[in-house]
Amino acid sequence: MKPTKERITEEFTSYVTTHNLTLENMDEHLKFETFTTFFNTITVNILGAPKYTHDKSNDTKGPLVYMAEASKERFVDSVDIIAVNSLYYGILGRLEYNYPTYVDFIKNLKEARTDLKKELIKNSKNKTINVTQSLMKVYMNLIYGMIDNVGSVLTSSHKVPREFIVEESKKVILSLASFLVNKSLPIFYIDTDELHTKRLTESQLKELKNYFEKECSKYIDTRLSTVDRDNIKCISSYYLNNKRYLTGDMSTRGMKFVNNEKVLAQNKEFFGKNFPNIFPEYAL
């Protein structure tokens, strides 16, 4: 049976009231109980006991990073940031979890949280609603880490599921990159779940979305993940606050490589092998 939004909301609300959670004590409680125990409790109560478990490995290759010379040399004007929303959730459907309805669960969980946030606007003094939607966000943020957590009930038939997620996300982003390059649109920057290009027309954006749904469905569940323009009002401010390595800081947010000389070897190989016409410098 697929978990409904109502059932999901009921379980999270019950957890909040049973443990007398508030926004102030929620983090402390979860650390004391452990995030893994919380995750397992919610999952099992809604979806039932897991069907199987296996040894897990957290070996994961480096993330995907590409930066064009134009981005390194100056701030680029009229940039669109194209983001794949909920990318990790979209890949969950390709992991063959021990919970057959897990993708539906996540989809309904996201919608249930959206409903609570709308309800909160009408009833801002209802603290239980606010804590419940916050707890839902905590659960969703834990999913990626729980995939290979030895104590988690969330397991996959893949030996290295996190590496699978990273590799599939590369395929999605590079598929979008191929679309843009084929349209003679420049690519200034690529990260795990976003890429920066010249400002798109509404027609180009619509075509990109259609391409994503058709071509990327082999890598990602497009019911859970979508591609869209990230509405950043001030691109220069965004770069200064979030992408400071564009101006020379090579260690921002844990990134140890940003220019062509420092891109990890496996990323160069991936670019060159799969997109030799787009990235000839890596087609070794």
Side-chain angles (χ1 to χ4, degrees):
M1 181 181 296
K2 296 180 181 180
T4 64
K5 291 192 295 183
E6 293 74 19
R7 173 68 189 95
I8 292 169
T9 301
E10 177 187 26
E11 182 60 36
F12 276 88
T13 302
S14 175
Y15 190 94
V16 168
T17 55
T18 299
H19 297 281
N20 297 313
L21 296 187
T22 65
L23 291 179
E24 291 72 25
N25 69 17
M26 183 172 65
D27 190 60
E28 181 181 357
H29 166 80
L30 293 175
K31 287 179 179 177
F32 177 79
E33 181 176 281
T34 76
F35 287 96
T36 303
T37 300
F38 154 70
F39 186 91
N40 288 348
T41 299
I42 291 290
T43 305
V44 171
N45 285 352
I46 295 176
L47 298 176
K51 290 187 175 182
Y52 69 88
T53 59
H54 66 78
D55 293 335
K56 303 181 184 182
S57 170
N58 63 356
D59 294 336
T60 305
K61 293 182 180 179
L64 175 65
V65 174
Y66 170 82
M67 184 172 291
E69 292 296 331
S71 300
K72 302 173 202 171
E73 295 171 356
R74 60 183 175 82
F75 287 128
V76 286
D77 298 320
S78 300
V79 172
D80 259 347
I81 298 177
I82 305 300
V84 181
N85 304 309
S86 306
L87 182 142
Y88 292 148
Y89 302 148
I91 300 176
L92 291 177
R94 303 291 184 265
L95 279 170
E96 303 173 31
Y97 278 106
N98 50 0
Y99 288 111
T101 60
Y102 200 77
V103 171
D104 296 295
F105 166 58
I106 294 301
K107 182 180 180 181
N108 286 340
L109 174 57
K110 289 177 64 181
E111 293 179 359
R113 182 171 181 252
T114 298
D115 290 346
L116 288 182
K117 291 171 71 175
K118 290 179 180 178
E119 189 176 342
L120 192 60
I121 295 175
K122 302 176 182 178
N123 191 2
S124 60
K125 294 183 179 180
N126 191 319
K127 295 182 179 179
T128 300
I129 293 177
N130 198 13
V131 178
T132 300
Q133 68 87 15
S134 297
L135 194 65
M136 289 176 171
K137 181 179 180 180
V138 170
Y139 181 96
M140 289 189 288
N141 287 344
L142 288 174
I143 293 173
Y144 183 59
M146 289 296 167
I147 290 171
D148 57 20
N149 184 309
V150 294
S152 168
V153 296
L154 197 61
T155 58
S156 165
S157 60
H158 286 269
K159 179 64 177 175
V160 283
R162 285 179 65 180
E163 180 176 321
F164 175 79
I165 288 177
V166 170
E167 293 304 307
E168 292 303 286
S169 68
K170 287 180 180 180
K171 294 174 184 177
V172 170
I173 293 298
L174 290 175
S175 291
L176 297 180
S178 68
F179 172 88
L180 295 173
V181 172
N182 287 336
K183 296 293 182 181
S184 298
L185 291 164
I187 296 175
F188 302 117
Y189 173 80
I190 297 175
D191 206 335
T192 308
D193 59 356
E194 68 181 37
L195 50 80
H196 302 183
T197 186
K198 184 179 179 181
R199 187 66 50 83
L200 301 181
T201 65
E202 290 304 315
S203 176
Q204 288 172 327
L205 181 60
K206 182 179 180 180
E207 191 176 356
L208 176 65
K209 290 181 178 180
N210 291 336
Y211 178 88
F212 170 80
E213 292 180 1
K214 179 181 179 181
E215 298 298 327
C216 294
S217 60
K218 67 189 75 170
Y219 310 124
I220 194 169
D221 190 326
T222 51
R223 294 179 304 160
L224 288 172
S225 298
T226 58
V227 65
D228 208 343
R229 174 188 287 126
D230 196 351
N231 293 319
I232 305 296
K233 293 182 179 179
C234 181
I235 291 295
S236 292
S237 176
Y238 171 79
Y239 280 141
L240 285 172
N241 292 327
N242 299 285
K243 309 289 184 184
R244 288 190 293 274
Y245 45 76
L246 282 172
T247 60
D249 180 0
M250 296 296 184
S251 60
T252 300
R253 298 176 67 182
M255 296 293 185
K256 296 180 180 178
F257 51 92
V258 292
N259 57 33
N260 289 336
E261 291 72 32
K262 293 191 177 182
V263 175
L264 292 182
Q266 60 262 40
N267 286 339
K268 288 185 179 182
E269 180 181 355
F270 187 90
F271 272 71
K273 180 179 179 180
N274 293 281
F275 298 89
N277 296 326
I278 301 174
F279 303 104
E281 66 268 41
Y282 297 150
L284 304 177

